[in-house]
Amino acid sequence: ALRTCHSIIFHYISKLLGEAGPSNQRLAEELVATCAASSDAKFLHSLYEHLLATNHAETALRIDSSSLEKWLLEEKKDVGLLWKYYSFHGRNVLAGDIMWKKALEAEEKVPLDHRIECLTRAANSFSSALQANHSGSNTRRLVEGGGGSSSGQGGITSQALQEQQVSVETLQTRISQIQEQLDVATIQKRVLTTITQSQDTNLESAKMDSLAFTLVNVSDIYNEYACPLNLFDVCLLVLETCRHKDANGILTLWKSIICEEVLPCQTSSESVVEFLTELKQGSMLGEEMIVYGEGDAGDTLPKFENGEWIPRLRNRVAALGKELFGKGADYTFPLDLIVRELEGLRQIYNNTRDEGHVSQPWPAQTVLDVGAPFYLLLESYDSLQMIENAAIGGVDVATRLQWLSSMTEFLELWVAAALSSYGISPMIGSNNLYGNGQGNSASSQLTRAISTGGLLQRIDVYKSSLECLVGGNAVTVALVEERFGRIEETIRKEFC
């Protein structure tokens, strides 16, 4: 009979909650609040179960009751529901605590995605706790008490778990710690995804389980997974996250990334073989094949001269660069090395093309797409000229002429981007690649480079270097000289 009475009450609660209209909703909430004030524990537990089972969890969690809190803690043992309950009633420190504890749970086999979700919720709860003193609560509760444990006129409930009083500094420290754990867990997720998609990692099951169901510390991610599996991007992300400045290691990783997009390959050019052999010697892919001529593997390996590696390499450098650059550890994106190797690849590729081939300055544009400023890129291109000048006699005239030509192309990109911010037509030429929203920044950087960076004086130096080249292709020299002159003329006319 008692169960029948409960069922009748619950039926009308569901009926009112399911019907539209503010009056029905208000009546339903009043009925729930009245039921929640009962001292019958069995009735209350049945009420909670009914509300959850009929998809009215939000209504149940809005009940401000120690009985409900204890039931969630001791009977349901559902961390997600308990977190929502604490969050709804503004007990954000407790909400953050239980989610953080769940994320770090060592005894249970918790999937990595769920641990990441728990860390995210914990960080959000502690952030809400920080803001609590600066804004009033507009939370709408169904009852200020209930379960026979209310006291005082307002029915203030004794709580199963007391909200811990923590300082602002403590909350900020917790948020910082969780964010660091989230950064590492995100990298771990990337490793897990890569390994899951791969067919030949041969990772032992124990390590795979650790990766999938625990939070692996950052050292183990680097030493036990990323390095042995040649996950070069992940290695760089770990170094960026940990702010670990391993200059030689970073250079090796970037050379490996570049090699991974080009090698193995087949080529009909000795100069390509020479360049790629030198490139891979500084990488972790020294065993990758470079087949010269129509060898046994010539039919199966991609041909360097086809250039199919260029868009892949560009996309990878740009995507990884955006994850690394501008995050406080720019040394993980070594501009000088990246510019030198990308330009070297472009030049050696251009040498394999027909005379009518129109070269595009894709190395400079790739680095600009990352978000690197023009003035830093200028220093990288300028460093190439300094290397050549220091090695006169060791660098052939053709190579030095190619680097000077690359400098003109970069400067044309910069000037064109700066002009675009004023609505002026771009400079004449084929390098119409500046339409990437960088105009305003480009113009301000160019103005500073002219006024304080001695840009025009640098251009004079480049022109002098050009005049000193003996034995270079006269047509190419004349074209590069003309382009320097046009760049200088535009700068003086529009920016001086």
Side-chain angles (χ1 to χ4, degrees):
L2 188 60
R3 182 176 300 177
T4 301
C5 292
H6 291 176
S7 298
I8 293 172
I9 295 172
F10 298 158
H11 167 75
Y12 282 104
I13 289 176
S14 296
K15 187 174 186 300
L16 291 170
L17 286 172
E19 293 178 352
S23 59
N24 286 335
Q25 291 297 309
R26 185 169 55 254
L27 183 59
E29 291 177 359
E30 289 176 356
L31 180 55
V32 171
T34 300
C35 292
S38 170
S39 60
D40 186 339
K42 290 184 178 180
F43 170 74
L44 290 173
H45 293 174
S46 297
L47 171 66
Y48 306 149
E49 285 283 10
H50 174 77
L51 289 172
L52 295 181
T54 54
N55 296 321
H56 297 299
E58 182 178 336
T59 300
L61 297 176
R62 281 165 52 198
I63 299 172
D64 189 5
S65 165
S66 62
S67 172
L68 173 58
E69 182 182 357
K70 289 178 180 178
W71 181 75
L72 291 171
L73 277 167
E74 300 170 5
E75 300 293 332
K76 293 300 289 184
K77 297 180 181 179
D78 187 321
V79 174
L81 286 176
L82 193 58
W83 173 76
K84 290 179 181 179
Y85 174 80
Y86 287 140
S87 297
F88 189 85
H89 295 284
R91 297 166 68 184
N92 294 302
V93 174
L94 273 175
D97 283 339
I98 62 169
M99 273 298 162
W100 199 7
K101 181 180 179 181
K102 183 65 177 180
L104 304 180
E105 175 62 59
E107 301 301 324
E108 294 185 25
K109 201 172 184 179
V110 181
L112 179 59
D113 280 339
H114 187 50
R115 290 185 187 274
I116 292 175
E117 181 183 19
C118 290
L119 286 172
T120 302
R121 286 180 169 181
N124 291 338
S125 293
F126 288 134
S127 295
S128 297
L130 269 179
Q131 300 170 4
N133 292 331
H134 303 289
S135 60
S137 173
N138 58 1
T139 299
R140 193 158 58 96
R141 299 180 174 89
L142 287 182
V143 58
E144 289 287 343
S149 58
S150 60
S151 61
Q153 185 174 357
I156 303 303
T157 305
S158 60
Q159 299 172 339
L161 291 179
Q162 295 298 318
E163 181 83 344
Q164 182 183 7
Q165 297 298 315
V166 296
S167 66
V168 169
E169 292 76 12
T170 299
L171 288 173
Q172 291 173 335
T173 299
R174 291 184 185 181
I175 293 170
S176 178
Q177 290 174 337
I178 293 172
Q179 189 56 58
E180 290 176 2
Q181 292 169 340
L182 267 173
D183 290 341
V184 175
T186 301
I187 295 174
Q188 179 180 336
K189 173 66 176 177
R190 184 166 179 161
V191 175
L192 177 60
T193 300
T194 302
I195 293 175
T196 303
Q197 294 173 348
S198 177
Q199 301 298 320
D200 57 355
T201 57
N202 296 321
L203 191 68
E204 58 187 71
S205 59
K207 285 189 175 181
M208 192 65 186
D209 277 354
S210 294
L211 200 62
F213 298 105
T214 69
L215 292 179
V216 181
N217 69 66
V218 70
S219 296
D220 286 344
I221 290 177
Y222 190 90
N223 295 315
E224 301 295 328
Y225 297 93
C227 283
L229 298 175
N230 282 348
L231 303 180
F232 309 125
D233 302 51
V234 172
C235 290
L236 286 167
L237 290 170
V238 169
L239 294 177
E240 182 271 327
T241 299
C242 297
R243 299 296 191 265
H244 184 63
K245 192 173 183 179
D246 177 8
N248 291 333
I250 289 168
L251 297 183
T252 299
L253 289 168
W254 270 107
K255 281 195 171 186
S256 302
I257 287 170
I258 295 171
C259 285
E260 199 167 40
E261 296 303 326
V262 181
L263 303 178
C265 72
Q266 182 264 335
T267 180
S268 301
S269 168
E270 291 184 7
S271 59
V272 170
V273 173
E274 182 180 350
F275 181 88
L276 294 180
T277 299
E278 182 179 353
L279 177 64
K280 75 174 185 175
Q281 285 175 351
S283 74
M284 298 171 68
L285 299 175
E287 301 302 318
E288 289 290 352
M289 292 180 62
I290 305 170
V291 176
Y292 175 62
E294 300 296 333
D296 294 336
D299 294 335
T300 58
L301 292 179
K303 192 173 177 63
F304 179 87
E305 286 83 349
N306 289 342
E308 296 176 354
W309 51 271
I310 296 176
R312 293 198 310 268
L313 179 58
R314 286 194 63 181
N315 291 338
R316 187 169 179 185
V317 171
L320 181 57
K322 289 175 182 177
E323 293 185 273
L324 298 172
F325 190 80
K327 307 295 176 60
D330 288 350
Y331 48 81
T332 56
F333 188 75
L335 273 174
D336 289 357
L337 171 85
I338 292 170
V339 168
R340 182 173 72 249
E341 302 301 350
L342 296 189
E343 283 289 355
L345 282 168
R346 180 174 78 116
Q347 291 173 10
I348 208 71
Y349 170 75
N350 288 344
N351 291 341
T352 68
R353 311 310 297 157
D354 297 333
E355 189 173 335
H357 171 71
V358 179
S359 177
Q360 297 290 328
W362 59 265
Q365 189 61 48
T366 300
V367 178
L368 290 172
D369 289 342
V370 168
F374 284 92
Y375 70 88
L376 282 184
L377 199 49
L378 173 64
E379 297 302 325
S380 293
Y381 274 93
D382 200 46
S383 70
L384 298 178
Q385 313 304 318
M386 294 173 64
I387 292 172
E388 293 160 16
N389 292 336
I392 292 177
V395 178
D396 62 89
V397 172
T399 300
R400 294 172 64 197
L401 181 56
Q402 286 175 332
W403 287 122
L404 286 167
S405 178
S406 297
M407 176 62 83
T408 64
E409 292 169 328
F410 163 66
L411 289 174
E412 285 173 342
L413 277 177
W414 193 354
V415 173
L419 289 174
S420 70
S421 65
Y422 298 118
I424 302 173
S425 299
M427 298 179 65
I428 299 172
S430 61
N431 299 317
N432 189 19
L433 300 176
Y434 60 89
N436 56 0
Q438 298 174 343
N440 291 328
S441 175
S443 61
S444 61
Q445 291 178 61
L446 184 60
T447 301
R448 287 195 300 271
I450 296 166
S451 60
T452 63
L455 179 58
L456 290 173
Q457 289 76 12
R458 292 192 190 195
I459 293 176
D460 287 337
V461 173
Y462 305 147
K463 291 163 65 178
S464 297
S465 298
L466 192 61
E467 293 170 358
C468 293
L469 293 180
V470 178
N473 184 292
V475 175
T476 304
V477 169
L479 178 60
V480 174
E481 186 174 12
E482 178 186 347
R483 294 170 81 173
F484 272 128
R486 190 163 66 245
I487 292 167
E488 183 177 9
E489 180 183 355
T490 304
I491 289 175
R492 290 188 183 278
K493 178 181 177 182
E494 303 295 344
F495 298 96
C496 293

